[in-house]
Each structure stands twice: as structure tokens, then as C-alpha cells.
Amino acid sequence: RLNEQVRVLDGKIDDLAPGNIYVIGQGVRATHAEFGARVLQGYSADGSDSQSDCGTGVSTGAASIAIGGNNGIARSARVVPVKVTCSTSPSSSDLEQGLRWVENHISSHPGSKAVLLFTFPLTRTMAGSARLRTLAENHLVALPAGDNSNNACYQIDHVQPVEKRYRR
């Protein structure tokens, strides 16, 4: 399952309700038919509306796989868009500000489940962020694979220690 850290293989998909999936990337188009009213107001590094995308549809597409009403994995979870770039990769400072916002948002909703879903590959510097490592200690972090011809496993090694990801 995408939302568990221990491999069970029982064929079930657990819903994240009432959890939040923080889609970190280019903003999410809240008017997408699959979402209903489950896209919350989020954060935007450039001050634009976080509930609009940058025209590529990358983050909106990732959000629809996560919470889409027809075929989504967590159909009653909510998406919180965290728009940190309108290009292929954010600056380290924009990402850090977005992660600070996520950290504050999560702490203002104690007990709520959270997933951080990145829609761009992390550089070694980004993956080594102390704030990201702290968030990863308590919340699932999902990274894209193959976006920049790199193995996503190299990215996650800098985010979550192996013993945290593969505990038995």
C-alpha cells in the first residue's frame, strides 16, 4: 500500500481520511471534476493562488491519482497544494519556505494523517534539508521516479533513514 511503511500485501487500500496530502510542486487546479471540494487553500511561494496550476498539469495529475473521486487511491482524503515553482524545480529557498508552511499547517491540525507528495525530483541539497528530514520522521514522503533520469532511491536516502523506511 502507498500509505503504510510495513509491507502487508493483503490487497486492501487504506483511505487517509481525514488526512491531508500535501502536493508539493506547481499548484493544483481545484476545479478539476475529480476533486469535489477536497482541495484546501494551501501555500504559494510567488503569492499566486495555490488552487491554480502553472499550466503543465503535473501537480494536478498527481493529486488526481491520489484523491480522484473515481479512481483515486485515497478518495476521501484532502489535497493541500504547496506551489513552490512554475518551472521544473524550485529554488532551495522557495522549497524551504513551502516546507516551513507545511510544518506549521500540520502542527495546527494535531492527530491528522499527512503525506508529502513531491511532483519534482529533489536535488541532494533539497533532500538534505533538516526541515524535510524532520517532517519525514513522522509522515510519509513520496517522490517521483524517472523525472530526471535518476533513481528516486538516491533521493529518498537523504530524506529518510533506511531503518525508518523498511522497519519490520
Side-chain angles (χ1 to χ4, degrees):
R1 295 183 227 176
L2 290 174
N3 63 336
E4 65 183 25
Q5 295 186 7
V6 177
R7 197 170 169 176
V8 174
L9 297 178
D10 61 5
K12 296 179 183 176
I13 297 177
D14 287 342
D15 205 334
L16 275 173
N20 292 329
I21 300 174
Y22 294 85
V23 178
I24 303 169
Q26 299 177 340
V28 174
R29 183 170 51 89
T31 58
H32 193 290
E34 289 284 313
F35 301 150
R38 292 178 297 119
V39 178
L40 306 179
Q41 189 61 44
Y43 170 82
S44 180
D46 65 5
S48 64
D49 185 4
S50 68
Q51 292 186 333
S52 65
D53 63 23
C54 295
T56 65
V58 172
S59 294
T60 301
S64 70
I65 292 169
I67 72 158
N70 292 315
N71 297 306
I73 295 165
R75 291 186 288 267
S76 57
R78 298 173 301 261
V79 158
V80 182
V82 181
K83 188 190 292 187
V84 293
T85 187
C86 272
S87 66
T88 55
S89 185
S91 70
S92 291
S93 64
D94 283 347
L95 176 60
E96 195 64 23
Q97 289 173 8
L99 291 175
R100 183 179 309 118
W101 186 90
V102 168
E103 189 175 57
N104 291 335
H105 193 266
I106 290 172
S107 67
S108 70
H109 297 86
S112 184
K113 297 177 185 176
V115 172
L116 281 67
L117 173 59
F118 286 84
T119 61
F120 56 87
L122 298 178
T123 65
R124 189 173 297 263
T125 302
M126 291 175 186
S129 158
R131 181 166 278 115
L132 179 54
R133 290 181 71 86
T134 299
L135 285 164
E137 297 222 353
N138 299 305
H139 308 288
L140 182 66
V141 175
L143 299 168
D147 281 6
N148 62 353
S149 302
N150 287 331
N151 184 333
C153 295
Y154 298 132
Q155 299 174 57
I156 198 67
D157 281 341
H158 299 287
V159 177
Q160 282 184 318
V162 173
E163 64 274 6
K164 170 72 174 167
R165 292 194 322 267
Y166 301 108
R167 57 180 180 203
R168 299 187 193 277

